[in-house]
Structure formats: structure tokens, C-alpha cells
Amino acid sequence: AQSVAQPEDQVNVAEGNPLTVKCTYSVSGNPYLFWYVQYPNRGLQFLLKYITGDNLVKGSYGFEAEFNKSQTSFHLKKPSALVSDSALYFCAVREGEGSQGNLIFGKGTKLSVKP
Amino acid sequence: DADVTQTPRNRITKTGKRIMLECSQTKGHDRMYWYRQDPGLGLRLIYYSFDVKDINKGEISDGYSVSRQAQAKFSLSLESAIPNQTALYFCATSGWLAGKETQYFGPGTRLLVL
């Protein structure tokens, strides 16, 4: 069965510093991986996804994620954090083979960026 | 205008009451989903529908039912609400655009069961 794990409940970063939010996955077959962000009192927003191709995926708001097959990881990164990046971040994997199936979400990581 | 809308946005109800959460979408997508979000548990799938005639149970369907009234509408019902159904509920759709498939989420419905 497909699954994702987000090992950190919270990540604290100073504004201007690089940030990383970790995600590892377990899939049978080729992984379809996603990152979503939830700002306070808002719904979920799609950030980026990996299906095939380059291991470094660029997404919205300056975020990017690096797919690492050998480490089964899909960490979310940003070179310079902003206070406005403070939010809840969810990693997800698509259930089933190919592009069919539902999304399986991690439990979320709270990112706190301090001025 | 939002592509995926949910009503109500907030609801307080009492144990044992029946409640319906509604979701509408203007994306023209066939696939629709209901998730609940609980702190520390992430998002969990309740029900999903791949078209009007197709309804499937998700990870945590007990205590819930759904109705796909039309392609654009997918409602979630709690027949007899209980306190552990207090959560944030998200509706979502998914579809293909220019060869890419993406999920679109509604703003969420915050439900409190007393």
C-alpha cells in the first residue's frame, strides 16, 4: 500500500534562512508525489507535484521539491524563507498505479518562520 | 469565483442530530472527494465519487453517507452526529488539464459536535 511519512510535527526557521520540510514515501511502482499547503483559516492549496522527469520540481511561491529515489524522499525546500510561509504543509502520494486513485496524505508539518 | 465551494463554512450541532455538508464545483470534473482533517492525523478520505453513478467508501466512511446529486454536487451527511466527528471537512475535485491532473480543494467546513 502507498503511504507517506512526515517525520517532523513542526519546523522552525528564521526569515531569510533556507527551509526544508521532510517527506518520505512508500509505493509499489512509480510514485506520484504532491505537496499541499494550508494557510491559517484557509483551504488546501496545491504547491507542486512529481510524476516523471527532473528530480527537482519547481512549484508555487518559490518552493521546490527534490525527488530522491534511493532515499525514497520528496523533501520540500525553499532557499529563503518568508514569515508569510508559515503554514501547515502536507505531503501526499497517489494511491494505486499510474494517475488513477486517491491521494494519501501525511499528517502534516507545521512550518513557523520567525522574523 | 471559487471553483470549489462548501456550505456551511462553520457549523455547531448537537450529538444525535443529522447534518449535511454540501459541496459544489464549477470545474466540470467527474471526480469528487470528501476528506476530514484532524490535528496530528492529516487528511483522511471519507468517500469519493468518480462520476455520478459511482460512489466509493474511503478510509473512514463509518458514520457518514454521501450523495452525488449531479456532476457538480457532492454532499456529505452525518446521520447521527457524535463528538468525535468534530473536525475540518474538505471537499475536493480532480481533473485533467493539458495533460496534467490536479486536485482542487474547497475552503473547508469546520464542524463542532457538542
Side-chain angles (χ1 to χ4, degrees), chain A residues 2-103:
Chain A
Q2 330 289 52
S3 66
V4 290
Q6 294 179 243
E8 304 154 314
D9 289 336
Q10 181 155 344
V11 171
N12 298 312
V13 178
E15 188 174 32
N17 284 359
L19 70 86
T20 299
V21 182
K22 295 180 180 177
C23 173
T24 58
Y25 66 88
S26 174
V27 301
S28 54
N30 295 321
Y32 285 64
L33 297 161
F34 303 77
W35 275 102
Y36 286 81
V37 60
Q38 183 183 18
Y39 296 102
N41 300 314
R42 301 280 295 277
L44 285 168
Q45 295 182 34
F46 171 78
L47 271 181
L48 52 81
K49 66 180 177 184
Y50 171 84
I51 298 178
T52 59
D54 291 340
N55 290 341
L56 188 63
V57 180
K58 293 190 182 297
S60 306
Y61 311 120
F63 283 92
E64 57 190 25
E66 185 173 8
F67 172 69
N68 188 316
K69 188 173 182 178
S70 63
Q71 296 184 5
T72 63
S73 67
F74 189 56
H75 300 332
L76 182 70
K77 300 181 179 183
K78 187 172 182 179
S80 180
L82 301 172
V83 173
S84 58
D85 292 330
S86 298
L88 193 57
Y89 291 81
F90 290 95
C91 182
V93 64
R94 183 162 297 286
E95 184 180 43
E97 287 296 319
S99 60
Q100 306 298 317
N102 307 298
L103 286 178

Side-chain angles (χ1 to χ4, degrees), chain A residues 34 36 38 41-46 49 51 88 90 94-95 99-108, chain B residues 9 31 33 35 37 40-43 45 48 50 88 90 94 96 100-103 105-108 110:
Chain A
F34 303 77
Y36 286 81
Q38 183 183 18
N41 300 314
R42 301 280 295 277
L44 285 168
Q45 295 182 34
F46 171 78
K49 66 180 177 184
I51 298 178
L88 193 57
F90 290 95
R94 183 162 297 286
E95 184 180 43
S99 60
Q100 306 298 317
N102 307 298
L103 286 178
I104 307 297
F105 287 87
K107 63 178 173 62
Chain B
R9 293 293 311 278
R31 298 183 177 189
Y33 310 77
Y35 294 90
Q37 182 185 16
L41 295 177
L43 282 159
L45 183 65
Y48 61 100
F50 282 177
L88 185 56
F90 286 103
S94 67
W96 289 88
K100 296 182 180 181
E101 200 250 350
T102 305
Q103 285 209 348
F105 284 84
R110 192 171 295 278

Side-chain angles (χ1 to χ4, degrees), chain B residues 14-71:
Chain B
K14 294 182 178 180
T15 297
K17 294 291 186 181
R18 184 180 187 275
I19 183 171
M20 179 182 289
L21 309 182
E22 299 189 5
C23 176
S24 295
Q25 52 116 344
T26 59
K27 302 295 292 182
H29 292 161
D30 287 326
R31 298 183 177 189
M32 297 187 74
Y33 310 77
W34 274 104
Y35 294 90
R36 66 176 279 176
Q37 182 185 16
D38 299 274
L41 295 177
L43 282 159
R44 293 181 291 168
L45 183 65
I46 305 172
Y47 270 95
Y48 61 100
S49 169
F50 282 177
D51 66 42
V52 175
K53 297 180 181 179
D54 178 75
I55 303 290
N56 303 281
K57 292 183 178 180
E59 180 185 355
I60 51 163
S61 59
D62 289 347
Y64 301 94
S65 63
V66 290
S67 174
R68 185 79 185 268
Q69 301 95 322
Q71 186 199 41

